[in-house]
Amino acid sequence: MKYLKLIILLALISLTGCRIDYDIEEVAPPEHLGETHEHEHDHTGAETEEHHEHDITAISGSDRHVHEAGARNHGTEWFFNQPWAARFIWSKMIRDTVILIFLAAVILLASRYRLRKKR
Amino acid sequence: MTDVPIKVDNLEKSFRKTLGLSGFKAVDSLSFQVNKGEILGFLGPNGAGKTTTIKCILGLLKPTSGNILLWNDFPGSKTVRMKIGYVPENPDYEDIFTPLEFMTMFSSLRELDISKDQILSILERVGLEAWVKVRIRNFSKGMKQRMSLALALQSQPELLIMDEPTGGLDPAARKEFRDVILEENSRGATIFLSSHLLSEVETICDRAVILAKGKKVTEGNLDDLLRTEDLFSISFMAPGTESDVHEEKEVVAAELQKTIDELRQNGQNILEVKPVYRSLEEVFLSATRGGKL
Amino acid sequence: MRPVMTFALMTLRNLLRRRTIWGISIVILIALFGIGQIPGYGISNEGRFILDFGLFGLEIGALLLAIGLAANIYPRDKEQKTLMPLIAVPLSRGQYLMGRFIGAAMVQTAAMLAGCIGLMVILLMNGLNIPGDLFPAACLLLVEGWFLLAVVFFFSFWTSPPLNAPLTILLFILSQMPVSGFISILPRAQGFMRILRLLLPHMDVFHIKDPIAHGVGIPAVYFLLATLYGLAYMAFMLSMALAVFRSRDLK
């Protein structure tokens, strides 16, 4: 009981994990973020290979265009910044699962101990 | 010590003040025990702390300080719960079920293997045989009391804790209830009975504990409690009169011997000298200063 | 285990005999029927909208079911004094909580299953294929529903039912926000807001309607991970609820 609060606090701190935790937009590796990576792009109808970044007009209005299958289209970060698509956070899901089960067990045992002690 | 069904030692229960409401001490330094096989009456005016004590015994409330042991185990433990039958004050049950359904489920909750016939016979014993398939929501207060007695009897408990069990019952039903309590006691069950009905306690209890303002004001065998310490009654008759015609005289203890001598000198035959008994109501009112405590 | 399962079945029968569950189920079915009408108005000739809105409807249905089923259980038991004889004799507080929870979860499972089947029927009626991941996606929403049920039970031990619903809805919304969005609520307390957000659940792990609507396959291992995560959070919330319940005096 003496160290119980400390154990719970440590578990909660590891649950937050601060910078290493999963907020996909913050912790995604560069290859996951699709907007600025190098890719083939067709503006004119003819195949060209160039490295470029888009300005905002290229993803809307009359300049809107679609990439080949397998390449990411513009304005789709929201789609790929979801847990199912971001494999790099799956290990963190496992970590959280283990910590939560540990916390549940500690809280359960502690409340049982307190109940008996008070009676 | 493990044979003592209930041992309450220096129990205190306070309710903290919350949001502008004042706190109060419901039970203060209360100690008593209930011995195996006895019927203990637990008495006190409204607000004396009877129900609070019972809830502490059942593990529903946590004592602020003090100890409660049931068969040397703590309240609320599984082994203790399995030995107890509880008849609450103003009971209520899941009202969408019928008594038969509820009794069946309740026995399963207690991990008892009871047949439908056994359940029906318990319901018959408490006078609910005609209401077996009626939803509990249609029951009167008295019928719910009968239902809670049936639930308490289901496991043939070693200890029956009853909180104002006959509050909503008519006199005939009260008599039936009393008979069931006595039957259970003769089976070997210990009875802890909290009641306002002093005549009821007087009729069936072996001992009584009287509370006032959360404190115990008196405790003892009913015989000791009701007997006055300094008042005696002398039955006597004049020689030659018929045997069923006799007179009685009450005297204080200090004058008892002197009075007997005088009566004998006057040729009276002394038939019996016995202590004067008060009614439980008188004892109760005296202990609680007319119920003002 | 026998007392818990008996009490769960009592809870199930109790909830089915009351009318709340039927009201919520009718709302879900009407919502699904409405979603089925969308292509008919020419918004799209694809099933994408039906899937997208249908799964969103199930998600909201899980939230409403959790609140509708569980918010009032403990307060009603306490108010009507049915709690006292149960806790005094046959059940421990843990058995009471688990029995009530499992009973409510059984009703929720049946309602969500009916909702999922309803969505499949609507897709078929519109001549569309049923994606292979639809059923696992609905199962993930069910896990989310169980987690929300545990949250509602947790709140019910220390708040009133009118406060329970908004608190659960607030948690539901906040738990889907990214850290950056959460910090923007109170930018001055950036560190505090970050820690607070990371302590809250990540409910977006249960939501895979977007890839399903767009025909993107989901790896099976993800379903497993998300389910385990949801069950672990549910266990954590239930243990918190039990700790609060065990500390309560039953006056």
Side-chain angles (χ1 to χ4, degrees):
Chain A
M1 277 304 278
K2 201 174 169 184
Y3 299 108
L4 186 74
K5 285 177 185 167
L6 186 68
I7 292 170
I8 292 176
L9 191 69
L10 285 174
L12 289 173
I13 288 170
S14 56
L15 194 65
T16 64
C18 291
R19 281 299 300 174
I20 58 156
D21 210 297
Y22 57 94
D23 185 1
I24 296 164
E25 283 178 29
E26 285 189 336
V27 298
E31 62 270 22
H32 179 80
L33 301 169
E35 276 296 273
T36 57
H37 68 189
E38 296 172 358
H39 61 288
E40 287 186 359
H41 186 70
D42 179 11
H43 277 299
T44 59
E47 285 289 321
T48 56
E49 278 199 23
E50 55 178 346
H51 303 304
H52 67 277
E53 289 187 12
H54 293 288
D55 62 28
I56 194 70
T57 57
I59 56 169
S60 61
S62 57
D63 285 332
R64 190 168 179 271
H65 54 264
V66 177
H67 288 289
E68 295 291 316
R72 242 186 241 189
N73 287 315
H74 308 294
T76 57
E77 310 91 342
W78 66 270
F79 188 83
F80 291 99
N81 285 352
Q82 295 183 51
W84 60 269
R87 283 176 184 266
F88 54 90
I89 62 122
W90 291 5
S91 61
K92 294 179 175 68
M93 281 168 69
I94 297 173
R95 180 204 63 183
D96 280 11
T97 302
V98 172
I99 293 172
L100 286 166
I101 289 171
F102 171 75
L103 270 173
V106 169
I107 290 169
L108 217 57
L109 291 173
S111 69
R112 187 185 164 91
Y113 178 81
R114 271 190 69 196
L115 186 75
R116 294 196 170 212
K117 196 181 159 197
K118 281 197 172 180
R119 280 171 178 163
Chain B
M1 282 303 286
T2 52
D3 260 5
V4 178
I6 301 176
K7 189 172 191 311
V8 176
D9 186 20
N10 219 10
L11 176 70
E12 183 185 317
K13 179 64 191 173
S14 301
F15 292 100
R16 283 180 300 176
K17 57 178 179 183
T18 45
L19 294 171
L21 302 169
S22 57
F24 64 99
K25 198 180 271 188
V27 180
D28 190 7
S29 313
L30 178 64
S31 299
F32 68 93
Q33 73 176 42
V34 184
N35 301 313
K36 190 180 178 187
E38 75 175 353
I39 304 180
L40 181 90
F42 198 51
L43 310 172
N46 291 329
K50 301 187 299 293
T51 300
T52 303
T53 306
I54 288 177
K55 285 183 176 175
C56 288
I57 290 170
L58 290 164
L60 299 171
L61 295 177
K62 287 186 297 293
T64 307
S65 66
N67 275 319
I68 298 174
L69 290 172
L70 294 99
W71 295 283
N72 226 16
D73 203 346
F74 69 90
S77 78
K78 190 182 175 185
T79 45
V80 161
R81 281 190 282 115
M82 291 301 133
K83 292 180 187 175
I84 291 178
Y86 171 48
V87 180
E89 185 184 14
N90 300 325
D92 220 331
Y93 300 98
E94 306 234 4
D95 58 6
I96 55 157
F97 297 113
T98 66
L100 184 60
E101 286 174 333
F102 197 78
M103 289 276 287
T104 309
M105 287 184 286
F106 207 82
S107 63
S108 184
L109 293 180
R110 299 196 74 163
E111 300 184 65
L112 301 169
D113 289 311
I114 295 185
S115 67
K116 188 181 169 186
D117 286 344
Q118 283 172 300
I119 290 173
L120 289 172
S121 84
I122 295 171
L123 287 170
E124 193 180 337
R125 191 176 168 199
V126 299
L128 282 179
E129 66 274 19
W131 302 85
V132 165
K133 289 186 177 176
V134 176
R135 282 194 178 179
I136 297 172
R137 69 166 53 143
N138 299 314
F139 279 18
S140 67
K141 190 181 170 192
M143 288 160 78
K144 285 179 183 170
Q145 297 276 38
R146 288 165 187 262
M147 172 83 196
S148 60
L149 181 62
L151 288 167
L153 296 178
Q154 218 178 20
S155 61
Q156 298 199 313
E158 287 181 40
L159 171 65
L160 259 173
I161 297 178
M162 308 173 114
D163 191 1
E164 305 288 353
T166 53
L169 299 178
D170 58 63
R174 217 175 283 162
K175 165 84 172 61
E176 285 173 33
F177 227 83
R178 267 203 310 268
D179 291 344
V180 172
I181 293 173
L182 289 170
E183 281 166 27
E184 284 300 300
N185 184 240
S186 57
R187 180 180 61 77
T190 306
I191 316 285
F192 182 66
L193 173 69
S194 162
S195 179
H196 279 305
L197 298 168
L198 301 177
S199 58
E200 189 172 85
V201 174
E202 202 170 346
T203 314
I204 61 173
C205 289
D206 303 316
R207 283 201 310 129
V209 171
I210 301 180
L211 291 189
K213 286 194 173 171
K215 290 186 174 183
K216 183 172 74 181
V217 287
T218 187
E219 176 189 9
N221 287 329
L222 224 56
D223 197 52
D224 295 339
L225 284 176
L226 300 181
R227 190 174 58 211
T228 53
E229 286 173 6
D230 60 348
L231 200 61
F232 288 84
S233 158
I234 306 169
S235 299
F236 59 94
M237 61 188 286
T241 53
E242 285 182 31
S243 61
D244 58 339
V245 178
H246 64 269
E247 292 180 68
E248 280 194 12
K249 189 172 188 178
E250 284 187 4
V251 291
V252 293
E255 292 182 6
L256 180 63
Q257 199 52 54
K258 189 182 152 196
T259 311
I260 292 172
D261 291 345
E262 281 173 5
L263 285 168
R264 280 187 177 146
Q265 281 168 10
N266 292 337
Q268 303 288 333
N269 287 335
I270 306 294
L271 298 174
E272 191 181 23
V273 179
K274 61 181 181 185
V276 172
Y277 284 85
R278 297 175 291 177
S279 70
L280 188 57
E281 188 176 71
E282 286 172 311
V283 174
F284 178 82
L285 290 173
S286 150
T288 60
R289 290 187 207 155
K292 286 175 186 166
L293 263 185
Chain C
M1 203 55 197
R2 182 180 161 193
V4 173
M5 288 320 293
T6 305
F7 196 50
L9 290 172
M10 271 175 82
T11 307
L12 176 75
R13 289 173 71 176
N14 195 336
L15 288 168
L16 291 178
R17 285 188 187 179
R18 296 188 192 278
R19 290 174 183 84
T20 323
I21 175 66
W22 303 112
I24 297 169
S25 300
I26 288 167
V27 168
I28 293 173
L29 287 175
I30 290 171
L32 284 172
F33 179 76
I35 289 160
Q37 301 307 304
I38 290 173
Y41 292 108
I43 293 173
S44 169
N45 56 4
E46 296 172 2
R48 186 184 296 178
F49 285 96
I50 297 179
L51 276 169
D52 205 332
F53 282 98
L55 285 170
F56 179 68
L58 283 181
E59 186 185 318
I60 299 298
L63 173 70
L64 293 178
L65 276 165
I67 294 170
L69 287 170
N72 216 18
I73 287 184
Y74 172 71
R76 189 174 54 223
D77 283 351
K78 207 175 162 196
E79 184 74 25
Q80 294 183 346
K81 292 186 177 175
T82 55
L83 182 68
M84 222 62 88
L86 287 169
I87 300 291
V89 180
L91 294 171
S92 68
R93 296 186 191 213
Q95 286 173 328
Y96 168 86
L97 173 64
M98 284 314 294
R100 285 295 193 217
F101 176 78
I102 292 172
M106 285 197 274
V107 179
Q108 194 176 35
T109 306
M112 292 287 284
L113 194 66
C116 179
I117 292 169
L119 184 57
M120 288 173 176
V121 169
I122 287 166
L123 284 168
L124 290 174
M125 280 168 62
N126 285 279
L128 299 161
N129 291 328
I130 298 170
D133 284 342
L134 177 59
F135 186 68
C139 287
L140 271 191
L141 292 178
L142 178 62
V143 172
E144 184 186 20
W146 291 343
F147 162 70
L148 288 167
L149 207 56
V151 170
V152 174
F153 269 104
F154 170 65
F155 285 139
S156 75
F157 287 122
W158 55 275
T159 59
S160 59
L163 202 59
N164 193 328
L167 281 173
T168 308
I169 292 168
L170 189 68
L171 184 84
F172 178 76
I173 294 166
L174 295 179
S175 298
Q176 300 188 50
M177 291 178 80
V179 177
S180 48
F182 193 79
I183 289 171
S184 67
I185 298 172
L186 202 62
R188 285 186 180 178
Q190 200 171 341
F192 171 74
M193 293 300 276
R194 170 184 293 279
I195 289 173
L196 186 62
R197 174 63 193 96
L198 293 174
L199 281 173
L200 290 173
H202 298 268
M203 277 206 212
D204 44 349
V205 303
F206 304 117
H207 303 157
I208 52 169
K209 63 184 172 59
D210 295 328
I212 290 178
H214 289 82
V216 178
I218 306 287
V221 68
Y222 180 77
F223 286 112
L224 183 68
L225 286 177
T227 303
L228 287 175
Y229 175 79
L231 294 178
Y233 229 115
M234 182 192 82
F236 172 66
M237 289 312 298
L238 284 174
S239 72
M240 297 261 286
L242 184 56
V244 174
F245 187 29
R246 278 177 171 165
S247 70
R248 286 275 176 274
D249 269 346
L250 298 177
K251 291 174 194 167

